[in-house]
Amino acid sequence: MPLTPMDIYKLLPKTNCKKCGEQTCMSFAFKLLNREKKIEDCKPLFEEKRYEKQKEKILEILKPLEKATETGLVVNDELCVGCGNCVVVCPIHVEKDPYGMAIGNGPNIDNPILRVENGKVKVCNLSICRRYGKNRILCVVCRENCPSNAISFLEG
Amino acid sequence: MICTGCSCLCNDVVVNGTRIMNACIKGYRHIAGAKENRSEAKIENRTVSIDEAIEKAIEILKNSRNPIIFGLDTTTLEAQSLAIRLAEKLECYIDDNSSFCLGEIVEAIIKKDVPSTTLDDVRNKAYVVIYWGANPYTSLPRHMSKFTYYPRGEKRPRGYEEDRYLVVVDVRKSETAMLAKKNAKFLKVEKDDELVDSFLLAVDGKAGKFGSEVGVILKEMKKSDFNVLFAGLGLKYGISNMDRFFEMIKKINEKVAPLYLLPAGFHANMRGFNETLFEKTGFVNKYSFREKRSEKEFEFMELLKKECVDAALIVGTDPLKSLPFEIAKKFMKIKKIVIDPKTSLTSKVADVVIPSAISGVECGGKMVRSDGVRFKLEPLEEKEINDVLIFKKILEGV
Ligand code: SF4
Ligand code: SF4
Ligand code: SF4
Ligand code: SF4
């Protein structure tokens, strides 16, 4: 199950104290998932004893986030069969490599986002993924065309 | 290099030390696992030299009254030709896995009974792409991304997004069927015959069991002058009358829109075997050089069942793995020679084992992709002892 801002919000102090620099706990939860904030920025959660249990829970549910790439894209190695669907459908690959990945072949460009290596997809260069950076959009094209459900996104 | 892990013969695989780029998991295991489970030269389970094993094989073949040569689907065209020459010389049976796989489909295509095409044309032009009884996810992992639904093509610049229409026909919702989302249709069928009938009726303007679905698909086909149907094993086993299926293809071509037929793959060079035997005899498999014809009774399994053969030369395949118990028992009684780079159930019980090289990885030659396009292999090394050399020696000896 992808992690939603709501899952995080529920465990925050919900006091809207603004110590994190955000107007509300909800917007903090959003930014946390987008990696614009760190959980440690919520001072009350760490300083006040009464949030101890919530804090532990939050740290627990955030664990997968550490493993995830900066765009929240996670590939499950166990499930991937290296079919290359995700490589071929990625709109960025299509744009940058019209005679390689766009027509079903291996990459002709140096730094594709995803490439198949040793039979599994590897995440190589997220800086050009549409989910990355300031103007990010919630692209799900690669996940939608994976036959083995090997791709997931933390942010749904 | 060209991957010989399945009949897609993907030609964009790059090997960089221990890194194998672009091959799917099946291809990766095929290439990276080349050195695992290697067979050794053996006579009755005793380790011997390769020459001794070949000598013994020659002796068995010479003394056999009714031998069969079986397999050959993962070896090169060159080795297949020599195997056919050997069968001719021994006046024996020759057969491959295609007789219980997609041989009938390949035969119809080779004889030009039904229109067919190449995978490159499919990528560049195909609009409706039908997988019938095929789940490329397991058997041909890159089929959809490299050739059919996903890639962009000359006349299909927007690829699967807008320029293709996917149809998946299967008895269950397979992994491939899961991908039938937008511009796509999944048809769950119990009896393939019923769907064939529905198409035949719809072409004549009548409605069968799948009337509305078939109507939609035919309407999509009309939008294009290039549609393709990939027939898989599920179709072969689900259908009672293959001729009606061919008739369906022909009728759709006459009355609706161009629809090409292609087999949905198999072992790397199965089509090569079919084509090579066809050139020589006019038949694609289950052939007897003594009787100069091809018959259902000359299938490997049938010959074993009726105890018509007394020795088998098995090349690069593992029949014992899939033979029904009663037939396996009969198989155990005859003399068995195995030529294979790898150990298998069959090689473990064989009278003679001759180790060989993996075609495409350890030795070169040519192979035929599932659509009939020929490729010259680009092996990583050239082993001295390969199927071609082994067959040459056996031919000299008998
Ligand atoms: S510091 Fe914590 S409690 Fe205060 S607004 Fe931010 S998230 Fe809410
Ligand atoms: S999320 Fe979109 S842009 Fe990023 S890798 Fe997947 S398909 Fe490409
Ligand atoms: S689509 Fe899925 S299974 Fe195929 S290569 Fe990508 S992650 Fe692996
Ligand atoms: S699809 Fe077949 S030929 Fe292509 S890489 Fe995979 S196993 Fe090899």
Side-chain angles (χ1 to χ4, degrees):
Chain A
M1 273 303 284
L3 200 54
T4 65
M6 202 53 182
D7 300 328
I8 297 175
Y9 172 74
K10 279 193 256 172
L11 295 167
L12 288 172
K14 294 193 281 258
T15 55
N16 299 339
C17 74
K18 306 194 177 76
K19 285 187 186 150
C20 56
E22 289 305 309
Q23 290 301 312
T24 62
C25 296
M26 194 61 193
S27 81
F28 176 76
F30 264 104
K31 297 221 164 156
L32 186 70
L33 263 184
N34 276 345
R35 288 168 200 74
E36 289 167 42
K37 288 276 170 197
K38 289 202 174 86
I39 185 63
E40 290 77 17
D41 294 339
C42 173
K43 295 272 173 346
L45 192 65
F46 286 85
E47 285 163 7
E48 293 179 36
K49 259 219 140 53
R50 56 188 165 139
Y51 299 130
E52 187 66 29
K53 276 221 170 84
Q54 283 161 253
K55 180 190 81 185
E56 267 160 34
K57 265 209 169 140
I58 283 204
L59 290 177
E60 184 62 37
I61 64 168
L62 288 180
K63 264 197 188 141
L65 213 59
E66 290 163 23
K67 269 187 266 163
T69 57
E70 287 155 274
T71 54
L73 190 158
V74 195
V75 178
N76 184 337
D77 250 13
E78 302 273 296
L79 296 177
C80 174
V81 297
C83 69
N85 288 2
C86 55
V87 177
V88 175
V89 295
C90 171
I92 301 290
H93 286 174
V94 170
E95 183 198 313
K96 295 201 188 267
D97 191 12
Y99 299 104
M101 293 181 282
I103 60 164
N105 289 328
N108 284 336
I109 56 169
D110 281 342
N111 270 313
I113 305 172
L114 305 162
R115 72 182 304 161
V116 178
E117 181 178 331
N118 292 351
K120 308 263 176 190
V121 133
K122 288 227 157 42
V123 184
C124 308
N125 175 21
L126 279 167
S127 65
I128 53 174
C129 171
R130 302 207 288 184
R131 302 175 69 92
Y132 185 84
K134 270 224 144 33
N135 299 321
R136 67 166 65 84
I137 55 168
L138 283 186
C139 175
V140 291
V141 173
C142 49
R143 183 189 71 191
E144 289 298 289
N145 293 292
C146 172
S148 31
N149 293 322
I151 297 180
S152 53
F153 297 117
L154 284 171
E155 300 150 46
Chain B
M1 71 180 291
I2 292 172
C3 175
T4 49
C6 77
S7 61
C8 287
L9 299 182
C10 293
N11 57 355
D12 59 348
V13 174
V14 179
V15 180
N16 216 330
T18 58
R19 294 168 75 199
I20 297 170
M21 317 303 278
N22 308 333
C24 70
I25 187 76
K26 191 171 175 161
Y28 170 70
R29 291 194 183 126
H30 176 68
I31 300 164
K35 305 288 174 220
E36 291 159 19
N37 302 322
R38 298 302 294 213
S39 59
E40 278 180 285
K42 287 202 165 148
I43 299 176
E44 282 150 18
N45 243 334
R46 237 173 346 103
T47 303
V48 295
S49 73
I50 290 182
D51 284 334
E52 283 171 308
I54 293 176
E55 275 310 309
K56 185 70 186 174
I58 293 168
E59 186 193 313
I60 290 174
L61 290 172
K62 272 196 197 151
N63 292 330
S64 158
R65 272 172 297 119
N66 270 317
I68 177 163
I69 303 177
F70 177 71
L72 299 160
D73 294 321
T74 53
T75 191
T76 58
L77 285 176
E78 292 80 357
Q80 289 171 343
S81 291
L82 290 171
I84 292 167
R85 278 236 309 270
L86 178 63
E88 190 180 17
K89 201 161 170 185
L90 295 169
E91 290 196 327
C92 74
Y93 301 106
I94 188 161
D95 192 19
D96 78 328
N97 288 297
S98 72
S99 52
F100 48 90
C101 185
L102 296 171
E104 265 168 294
I105 306 248
V106 175
E107 184 171 8
I109 292 170
I110 297 178
K111 288 184 172 162
K112 300 202 164 47
D113 286 345
V114 283
S116 191
T117 182
T118 65
L119 288 170
D120 304 291
D121 274 351
V122 168
R123 171 173 49 227
N124 283 329
K125 302 178 191 162
Y127 177 58
V128 177
V129 176
I130 307 175
Y131 283 99
W132 191 325
N135 187 16
Y137 172 76
T138 46
S139 50
L140 313 156
R142 292 184 67 196
H143 204 255
M144 287 181 98
S145 73
K146 194 159 159 48
F147 304 113
T148 66
Y149 183 53
Y150 288 116
R152 278 138 223 275
E154 277 161 26
K155 292 201 177 148
R156 304 282 156 207
R158 286 162 300 177
Y160 77 106
E161 282 168 303
E162 283 169 53
D163 286 338
R164 308 226 195 247
Y165 189 88
L166 175 68
V167 179
V168 180
V169 180
D170 213 328
V171 290
R172 63 176 187 105
K173 189 143 193 190
S174 64
E175 289 85 354
T176 305
M178 304 274 215
L179 298 172
K181 293 176 187 168
K182 216 181 84 190
N183 305 331
K185 200 156 209 53
F186 166 53
L187 273 177
K188 189 166 184 288
V189 289
E190 302 286 328
K191 296 197 186 90
D192 297 70
D193 293 328
E194 289 178 346
L195 186 57
V196 172
D197 287 341
S198 294
F199 269 111
L200 280 168
L201 284 168
V203 169
D204 289 332
K206 289 175 232 152
K209 183 175 173 188
F210 294 97
S212 61
E213 288 95 333
V214 162
V216 172
I217 296 168
L218 291 177
K219 213 168 131 198
E220 290 295 334
M221 281 188 199
K222 271 193 199 149
K223 291 184 189 166
S224 166
D225 58 359
F226 199 110
N227 307 290
V228 63
L229 190 157
F230 291 96
L233 268 190
L235 169 75
K236 149 106 184 164
Y237 287 107
I239 210 161
S240 58
N241 185 345
M242 200 55 106
D243 287 335
R244 266 184 86 70
F245 172 74
F246 293 142
E247 191 193 323
M248 176 198 89
I249 304 264
K250 280 183 235 171
K251 271 231 165 131
I252 292 177
N253 272 290
E254 277 163 29
K255 300 201 172 175
V256 184
L259 172 66
Y260 300 98
L261 178 65
L262 272 172
F266 19 63
H267 298 302
N269 199 22
M270 191 183 277
R271 176 141 182 183
F273 176 82
N274 294 144
E275 291 195 356
T276 313
L277 190 64
F278 185 81
E279 277 159 28
K280 179 93 192 171
T281 67
F283 298 95
V284 297
N285 52 26
K286 46 183 174 357
Y287 188 76
S288 162
F289 273 99
R290 188 166 304 161
E291 310 201 25
K292 303 214 165 17
R293 61 195 169 91
S294 167
E295 275 300 332
K296 171 100 182 116
E297 291 97 79
F298 302 159
E299 269 182 27
F300 180 61
M301 276 243 251
E302 294 292 318
L303 291 170
L304 288 176
K305 196 152 86 187
K306 303 215 177 79
E307 301 186 46
C308 297
V309 282
D310 56 0
L313 173 58
I314 312 280
V315 189
T317 186
D318 190 10
L320 201 53
K321 209 167 84 183
S322 49
L323 285 178
F325 183 66
E326 285 307 311
I327 298 180
K329 266 196 335 208
K330 292 179 176 170
F331 178 60
M332 293 304 289
K333 284 195 252 168
I334 68 171
K335 291 278 182 200
K336 294 168 288 295
I337 306 159
V338 168
I339 302 177
D340 204 318
K342 300 264 196 169
T343 56
S344 65
L345 272 184
T346 312
S347 79
K348 287 197 178 113
V349 301
D351 299 272
V352 179
V353 179
I354 308 172
S356 181
I358 300 175
S359 302
V361 182
E362 299 169 334
C363 68
K366 285 193 220 73
M367 283 199 188
V368 181
R369 197 167 64 183
S370 60
D371 58 351
V373 175
R374 294 185 175 220
F375 285 89
K376 190 170 181 294
L377 301 176
E378 300 154 4
L380 301 173
E381 57 179 313
E382 273 297 344
K383 280 204 169 165
E384 189 198 343
I385 294 168
N386 54 38
D387 292 341
V388 167
L389 181 96
I390 295 166
F391 272 111
K392 273 189 184 152
K393 287 196 172 177
I394 296 178
L395 262 170
E396 277 166 26
V398 294

